[in-house]
Amino acid sequence: MLESVALPPTGPLPDTLTLFEHLADAVYLIDPDTSNIVWANRLAWECLGMTRDDILNHSVLSLQKDIHGLPQWSEIAGIIRASDCYRFIGRHRHRDGHEIEVEVLTTSFEHAGRPYFLSVARNLSRQLAQQQDLQDREKQLWFALNEAIDGLWDWEVATGKLYFSPQLKRMLGYGPDEMAPVLDTWKLNVHPDDVADVLGVLSEHMQGKRARFEAVYRLRNRNGHYLWVHDRGRVCEFAPNGEPARVVGMVHDISDRKQLELQLQELASFDPLTGLPNRREANAFLDTQAQLCRRMNLPLGIAFLDIDHFKQINDLHGHLMGDQVLRQVGTVIQSTVRGSDMVCRWGGEEFLILAPNTALQDMHRVAEKVRQAVVDATSGLPVSITLSAGVSAARGQAIDIRTLIAEADSALYKAKSEGRNRVESTLPATQPA
């Protein structure tokens, strides 16, 4: 049975109203002058948790939360009359107090000389919920992607256009409208020492010689500092002729990890107190230089240096003073020898000088120069610092690392046994190696 209120004798046709009962949206017939609802389909009140009597002959403003009072209604009514279809996004009140988002489409017409508004209100709650769910999922996916990587790039090979994601620009210290979208913007910011290797790997991937582009390199940021990045990409589109057309990739900032890696490498190769290479690094250098000197028939000199009475310095003045002495002695030795020579902290209070292309007489003079430089440079300390040194050398195929070290160590023992603060060698200093 058609639910309706009494209409004028020439009211809307019952058959037309019956059609509205089958709509999935709420339908209201409104008196434009009073804003009263003169007819509605069943869904109009059921979706609001109301009854027929709750809305019929009541102002449509009682349903709306965003239109207040007849003056505002009169203004809107004028707009509706002037429009083919007036669209309004609003909120209807449910009986239990919550709000329902609605999209209302209103048209005006006349029947039997009387004006009416016909409003169709669509409940947007489910649609908004679906949109929100999609947006939430999209946000989650983008969040996960952005958390997993620090930047995206997309290269159109034919045009040379290179897209940098906002995250990548932010990582490098640029705003979203900066960084020209061309290949040179990236290429010119790769560290000069890395650019050849990186471009080589990219070229090999583009030629099909590598399954993907992957490189670890340094990339300059806005302030001129370099970040270590792990860059991976792959050709994702090909031109009709089979040539790569589009390459996409992602960049991770691995500066912290790389810095830690470099620090660990430094700890493995350098003495943390003096900053000099340690015994491990010295042995590697010694192997390399011994091979070179054998091949080139060059001499290789070694000097063992030991701080005299170092235990007394620790015992009388404390370990902080001992550490200061070690650091200063290491600095003096390093500044006295040639740049091609290596100075290392061999262990404890012992230092080692490795001098390629240095014969025994020259090695003796180097050690003596270092001994005197340490005495002069540490004269201001509250303790007297002297060095004892033992030197050895060999040439070409006669070079044997173990023998060189043993001879220098023996010469050092001789220097200590003969009064310290002196340089001794395995052979008289006037005899060539």
Side-chain angles (χ1 to χ4, degrees), residues 44-355:
W45 58 77
E46 288 184 347
C47 69
L48 300 176
M50 298 182 181
T51 66
R52 172 175 172 271
D53 293 336
D54 290 329
I55 65 170
L56 293 182
N57 292 320
H58 291 273
S59 172
V60 73
L61 302 182
S62 64
L63 306 180
Q64 286 283 356
K65 295 199 66 174
D66 301 295
I67 302 177
H68 307 283
L70 284 176
Q72 187 177 0
W73 167 256
S74 297
E75 180 181 346
I76 293 175
I79 298 174
I80 294 173
R81 290 188 179 97
S83 305
D84 292 333
C85 180
Y86 177 71
R87 180 172 176 265
F88 178 76
I89 303 295
R91 296 171 295 169
H92 281 179
R93 294 185 180 90
H94 193 276
R95 179 183 286 276
D96 63 11
H98 75 266
E99 300 172 358
I100 299 175
E101 295 280 346
V102 292
E103 178 187 41
V104 183
L105 300 176
T106 303
T107 57
S108 63
F109 69 97
E110 287 189 3
H111 178 69
R114 183 175 178 181
Y116 292 97
F117 287 167
L118 183 67
S119 291
V120 179
R122 173 160 293 178
N123 188 336
L124 297 179
S125 300
R126 179 176 296 179
Q127 179 181 342
L128 292 173
Q130 291 174 342
Q131 291 177 350
Q132 187 63 45
D133 182 62
L134 290 174
Q135 290 174 359
D136 290 344
R137 289 180 182 276
E138 184 177 353
K139 289 179 181 177
Q140 291 168 359
L141 289 173
W142 273 107
F143 177 79
L145 186 60
N146 288 333
E147 286 297 304
I149 61 175
D150 295 304
L152 295 170
W153 52 268
D154 188 340
W155 177 30
E156 294 179 3
V157 180
T159 64
K161 184 177 180 181
L162 183 59
Y163 165 79
F164 303 101
S165 72
Q167 293 83 5
L168 179 55
K169 293 180 180 180
R170 184 171 63 243
M171 181 184 79
L172 297 177
Y174 293 95
D177 298 323
E178 297 183 279
M179 294 181 67
V182 293
L183 187 62
D184 277 350
T185 300
W186 165 73
K187 190 163 59 175
L188 294 175
N189 281 290
V190 178
H191 193 284
D193 294 342
D194 300 335
V195 66
D197 290 339
V198 173
L199 292 179
V201 172
L202 179 59
S203 177
E204 289 178 0
H205 172 60
M206 301 288 283
Q207 296 170 24
K209 297 178 181 179
R210 290 177 179 263
R212 66 179 178 180
F213 163 70
E214 183 168 4
V216 173
Y217 59 92
R218 288 160 289 183
L219 192 60
R220 186 174 57 202
N221 67 6
R222 185 181 204 127
N223 60 18
H225 294 160
Y226 283 92
L227 306 176
W228 279 98
V229 297
H230 185 189
D231 196 349
R232 289 178 292 180
R234 189 188 294 267
V235 176
C236 65
E237 290 182 12
F238 292 88
N241 62 1
E243 293 294 320
R246 184 180 175 199
V247 190
V248 297
M250 59 183 65
V251 179
H252 292 265
D253 181 356
I254 60 169
S255 298
D256 292 342
R257 188 180 78 193
K258 193 67 178 181
Q259 188 64 34
L260 178 59
E261 178 184 323
L262 294 174
Q263 288 174 355
L264 292 175
Q265 289 178 357
E266 185 173 350
L267 288 174
S269 303
F270 291 85
D271 171 50
L273 179 62
T274 64
L276 296 173
N278 58 19
R279 182 183 296 201
R280 175 178 176 274
E281 192 70 7
N283 280 324
F285 181 82
L286 191 55
D287 286 339
T288 301
Q289 294 304 313
Q291 293 175 22
L292 177 63
C293 289
R294 290 190 198 104
R295 187 169 65 251
M296 303 295 293
N297 193 33
L298 298 173
L300 177 62
I302 293 180
F304 258 128
L305 305 102
D306 186 273
I307 300 176
D308 296 327
H309 304 297
F310 184 72
K311 185 176 183 302
Q312 292 182 16
I313 296 174
N314 279 332
D315 292 343
L316 296 176
H317 300 279
H319 289 280
L320 289 178
M321 175 59 72
D323 289 348
Q324 180 182 345
V325 168
L326 288 170
R327 282 193 293 267
Q328 189 160 355
V329 168
T331 300
V332 172
I333 299 173
Q334 182 74 68
S335 64
T336 306
V337 302
R338 301 172 302 179
S340 59
D341 299 337
M342 172 181 275
V343 178
C344 81
R345 185 182 177 191
W346 192 251
E349 66 272 21
E350 288 186 338
F351 296 84
L352 186 67
I353 302 174
L354 306 177

